[in-house]
Amino acid sequence: MDVSARRAFNLLKEMAYVRVSGTEEEKKAAERLLAEAKKCGVKTQIEPFTVKTGKVNKARLVVTAPYVKEYEVTGYERSLSTTEGGLDAEFYYAENLLPVHLQNCKGKIVMINGRLRRADYEKLQKAQVAAILTFSGTTLDRNSETDCDIRKLREVMTDPFGFAVALNMRAADAAEIVRRGAKTMHIEVDSECFDAQSQNVCAVIEGSKYPDEIISFGAHYDSVHFSTGVYDNMSGSVIIMELLRYFAAHQPERTLKFNWYGSEEQGLLGSKAWTQAHEDELENHVLMINVDVAAATLGQNAAPILATEAAVGYVDALMKEHGMACSVKMDIYSSDCIPFADHGVPAINLCRFGTAGAGYIHDRRDNLKSGYLDEKSLDITLQQALMLAKHVVNAKVFPIERTISDEIRKKVDEYLFKEKK
Ligand SMILES: [Zn+2]
């Protein structure tokens, strides 16, 4: 059986709904992928894992002086709840958390620029803020066309630095409260933390000649709130499904594993769970090929590789030999390749990035109606993936050394917040 971009795109259309980590919809998507994989007549299973998540029942923010106005906010999942009657405190805009800002934060409701990164969270917790406020979107957003983003206090933040009250608001509102000189605020958060179940969908084809050499294909199938995740990353999910169909019909010499990861958007939780559960066999993994974002009509192809310069040269030469346009570089990529590289398994990512103004991730615009994806463009990454896979799967001598360069090792360690020695 040959691969088909049409069939892949039809499956993508069918699964164009929000699939957030640990939800019923994520599970429904996993079951759909499982059913599709089963049709290929290979060994399949769902591997569940636990995710720490939460739900915010109520979140309010009211500026109380020098003017009074309530603003739309969302509570971070896993935020602390405020005590009975809410929290009243001074407001302080701490911009990018320079030392000058930090000395003014204690006991205040503190707003910062951009995402709440782990390093910012550490600083804010050490400065003993009363609550954390972030904003998302742009000051040009129309409320009817955008959502006030829902964020999460991840374990990488709460495990070392404890919990906090954290809220998110719209950029235009954040600008207004700064412009109008908000001095004090009243906030209320009612939040629950709980464990939920997420899952990876797994399929295996045993190799005919080198069964102990494993090549692992991966793509995450979860999305974030408000996003149907057709681009990020049902596109990659349906591409590796086509590869599964192909190799189910063309017996590979090496063993192939196909994994659709859940909860990638919450910090690569699916691939972390998988590499942990399969730690023993990872030394037999010779390569991981990950597909995360494809099908953008206006875009460009890239292959960030977590291995060595020799691996980069090999993939680059293959692309050129086949007349395939792809920018092949040694770099990390924020996706499920990371836990594999962390375990010493070389990883190749295949992506087609939408160009500026023609590629949307992590909000409601990642939707088929946005009109920036198409079947022909999906076929570009599908063909690159198939070409690469055909070469490595049946190579006489495996062409990629099982080595991660020091440069990549260092970037992976930083990405995973490993302590510097
Ligand atoms: Zn992604």
Side-chain angles (χ1 to χ4, degrees), residues 220 222 231-233 264-265 291-293 333-335 361-362:
H220 76 87
D222 65 314
Y231 171 54
D232 182 13
N233 181 39
E264 187 265 1
E265 300 288 7
V291 187
D292 193 355
V293 305
Y333 185 52
S334 180
S335 186
I361 58 164
H362 300 170

Side-chain angles (χ1 to χ4, degrees), residues 89-147:
E90 263 183 69
F91 167 71
Y92 179 62
Y93 174 37
E95 302 177 2
N96 55 340
L97 289 174
L98 296 177
V100 173
H101 298 126
L102 285 168
Q103 70 172 12
N104 285 310
C105 284
K106 193 172 178 181
K108 295 178 187 170
I109 298 167
V110 173
M111 185 168 82
I112 61 160
N113 293 336
R115 286 204 158 263
L116 178 58
R117 290 171 196 286
R118 187 178 182 268
D120 300 330
Y121 191 71
E122 179 178 10
K123 286 180 194 168
L124 289 161
Q125 289 293 74
K126 286 182 175 159
Q128 298 177 287
V129 303
I132 298 167
L133 187 55
T134 57
F135 56 86
S136 55
T138 80
T139 57
L140 294 175
D141 288 350
R142 287 169 206 246
N143 286 6
S144 61
E145 293 169 0
T146 55
D147 302 286

Side-chain angles (χ1 to χ4, degrees), residues 5 22 24 32 45 65 87 96 103 125 131 148 162 181 201 214 242 247 268 324 332 338 356 361 373 404 409 421:
E24 278 306 310
R32 182 68 188 85
Q45 63 176 353
L87 171 83
N96 55 340
Q103 70 172 12
Q125 289 293 74
C148 187
V201 181
I214 304 170
E242 286 301 312
F247 287 108
L268 319 178
M324 291 175 162
I332 64 162
I338 297 272
I361 58 164
L373 306 178
I404 308 291
R409 162 67 51 206
K421 295 257 161 61

Side-chain angles (χ1 to χ4, degrees), residues 311-379:
V312 171
Y314 171 71
V315 175
D316 189 43
L318 281 181
M319 292 288 181
K320 284 173 176 153
E321 184 193 328
H322 291 83
M324 291 175 162
C326 186
S327 168
V328 185
K329 289 203 176 83
M330 183 144 75
D331 205 352
I332 64 162
Y333 185 52
S334 180
S335 186
D336 297 308
C337 53
I338 297 272
F340 282 85
D342 185 42
H343 285 87
V345 181
I348 299 171
N349 296 282
L350 293 172
C351 327
R352 178 168 173 82
F353 295 118
T355 197
Y360 309 105
I361 58 164
H362 300 170
D363 61 38
R364 68 159 84 173
R365 294 172 302 177
D366 185 346
N367 189 308
L368 281 170
K369 290 189 208 103
S370 301
Y372 67 111
L373 306 178
D374 76 276
E375 180 184 310
K376 224 166 59 188
S377 305
L378 184 136
D379 196 42

